[in-house]
Each structure stands twice: as structure tokens, then as C-alpha cells.
Amino acid sequence: MLASGRARVLFATVSRRGGRWRISLNIEAADLHSEARHRRRDEADSGGWVGVDRGLHAPVVVATSDGTQTLRIDEAPKALRAAQPVTRRLRKAVSRKVKGSANRRAAVAKLSRHHERMRARRHYFLHQVSNLLVKTHDRLIIEDLNITGMLHNHHLAAAISDAAWGELALQITYKQAWHGGHVLTADRCFPSSKTCSNCGDVKATLTLADRVFTCDTCGHTIDRDLNAAINLATWGEENYLSQVLDPEARGQFINAHRRDGSGRRSRAGETSPEDVRTLTATAA
Ligand SMILES: [Zn+2]
């Protein structure tokens, strides 16, 4: 897009982290070509929502309210799953070295390069997932991120998973705006995991070990993550209109354009359908 004049660099930020220099470009680009954007829906149309569950076992499970699973990402890339033992090993290596020594500095640098590499890989994976989600679905319901729980979570794996979910939600939100779709965040207290997607009954307890949801009332048995995704989709269809009409909730509704904030500068030119591909190039 830059080469063909359909986007322009506004400014660049140089930073250093994990022993590497990075340059971030702030770019103004034209809106996506209409072929790459979602078809406009009638305001009163409350259908078409899909729930995006941050699965306990699968990273992402997406489903419609009628129970159709439209997307399931079963596991994170191997490099990410294998990162933790390496992190532990590198941490121990640091603590074994004498404080203030050159060896310790080298070990710290190695640990920080590892963190940076994993962060880049995690972001690349999240960009792939968010691209897939916004290209295939125009109306997404995501779970609210529990910030309070996040701050009190000292378990490393869970903390990383929370951070990744926050990043994914952010990516989905801005990319969906480019595509002219919608993202709605479900109420924080909505029990998406504990509710039966068949009869609506709410279970008193559901332990983290339960991979399968079995309803005590109607006996419905379903994959735990799929059940939660269906409930989120149903929540969207039932609450869409009230969320739109409620000015308090409207803040969560995104309708930004990529040109927003462009000021008096000349407008970037037209996009071509091919430009969509450039969205995947952000993870480097
Ligand atoms: Zn039930």
C-alpha cells in the first residue's frame, strides 16, 4: 500500500527491548475496499452474532446461538506451549549467577531475549487468529477481561493467557472496525460457562477440570468451551438492541474508520481488495 501511494507513514517510534531495536510506524491508510468489508446490516437485525470463547482447553472456540461451531483453534503453536520450561530454566540460570557479575548480566540478557521472542511469536499467532475472526464473522461477542482477577493472578501461565486474551480482544476490535463489522463485550457477570446452552439453567458449580458441561436440569451434555461460545452468541442476540440504545454501553461499540484523525492531510487513495493481505504483516 505504501509503494502504490494508498497509505502513508505519519511518524515512526524507535524503541529498544529485549536487546533489540524496534521501529513502529504510524500509518494512515484508506478504508478497506468494499469487497473486503462486511455487508451492512439493518439496525433492527439482531441476528448473526457469534460468541468467541477463550476456551479453557482450546485457545479460541466460536459458535452461533443455534449451536453451530464456526471456528475452533485447538491449541497454541508448539513454540508457545514449550516456552515455560525454557523460561524456568533461564530464570534459574540467572539466580545461580553472582549478583553484579558479567555472567549474571549475560544470563539476564538471554532471559530477556527469550521473553521478547515468545512475545513476538504470541503476537504473530494472535494476529492470525484475529484476522481469521474478523474476515469470517461480522458480529462478534467477546468475554470481558477480568482485570481485577488478572492483577491477582500469580500463576504465570494464567497471567500470560490473560494478557494474550486482552491483546486478542484489542486486535479483534480495531480490525473489525476496518472491516465494518461489530464487536460487543458481554457483561462481566454473565455466567457464560455455567449456563446450559440448551435450557438456560445456571449450574452452581463448574470446576476448571470439567471439560464437558452436563446440565443437572435437562441432562444436556456438551463440550465446555463450545457451550460457553453458544451462550455468548445468545447473549449478543438478546442484548444487542439494548446495548445500542443504551448510551452508556454505546462506548463499547466500534465504528471507527481507518482515516480517523487524519486532520488536514490529503486523503490516502483507494484500496484494492488485495490490500487485505497486508494486515498479516504486522507481527514482525
Ligand atoms: Zn439444561
Side-chain angles (χ1 to χ4, degrees), residues 20-46:
R20 287 194 180 198
W21 290 98
R22 311 154 54 86
I23 180 161
S24 312
L25 302 177
N26 189 290
I27 290 174
E28 177 192 52
D31 280 343
L32 287 185
H33 192 275
S34 55
E35 275 181 44
R37 292 168 66 87
H38 295 296
R39 185 176 49 84
R40 235 173 214 293
R41 278 179 193 265
D42 192 73
E43 276 263 301
D45 178 1
S46 63

Side-chain angles (χ1 to χ4, degrees), residues 101-131:
S101 70
N103 278 343
R104 189 175 173 111
R105 273 198 302 280
V108 167
K110 206 169 175 183
L111 174 64
S112 117
R113 275 197 303 275
H114 166 75
H115 277 311
E116 200 47 33
R117 203 158 44 235
M118 287 307 131
R119 205 187 79 92
R121 285 181 182 168
R122 189 160 54 244
H123 274 220
Y124 183 70
F125 170 64
L126 294 174
H127 275 294
Q128 287 177 312
V129 174
S130 58
N131 283 346

Side-chain angles (χ1 to χ4, degrees), residues 1-2 20 59 69 85 92-93 96 104 109 131 158 192 195 246 261 270 273 282:
M1 289 182 79
L2 285 169
R20 287 194 180 198
Q69 180 177 290
K92 273 185 196 153
R96 275 198 304 268
R104 189 175 173 111
N131 283 346
S192 63
T195 306
D246 178 5
E270 266 299 291
T282 45

Side-chain angles (χ1 to χ4, degrees), residues 41 45-54 61-71 137-143 182 184-187 190-193 195-197 224-241 243:
R41 278 179 193 265
D45 178 1
S46 63
W49 291 96
V50 294
V52 182
D53 180 59
R54 165 174 63 160
V61 176
V62 183
T64 59
S65 64
D66 69 5
T68 311
Q69 180 177 290
T70 60
L71 180 71
H137 301 87
D138 67 333
R139 290 183 151 187
L140 300 165
I141 303 286
I142 53 178
E143 285 175 287
H182 288 131
L184 208 55
T185 307
D187 209 307
F190 175 61
S192 63
S193 297
T195 306
C196 171
S197 58
R224 175 208 183 100
D225 299 332
L226 177 59
N227 182 58
I230 297 169
N231 288 329
L232 285 168
T234 307
W235 186 91
E237 294 186 350
E238 286 169 359
N239 292 279
Y240 163 64
L241 282 175
Q243 294 283 316

Side-chain angles (χ1 to χ4, degrees), residues 54 80 83-84 87 115 122 155-166:
R54 165 174 63 160
L80 293 178
Q84 279 193 64
T87 310
H115 277 311
R122 189 160 54 244
H155 193 254
L156 183 67
I160 289 175
S161 145
D162 281 343
W165 180 252

Side-chain angles (χ1 to χ4, degrees), residues 71-87:
L71 180 71
R72 184 186 191 97
I73 292 160
D74 260 314
E75 48 189 28
K78 202 178 164 201
L80 293 178
R81 285 181 282 134
Q84 279 193 64
V86 180
T87 310

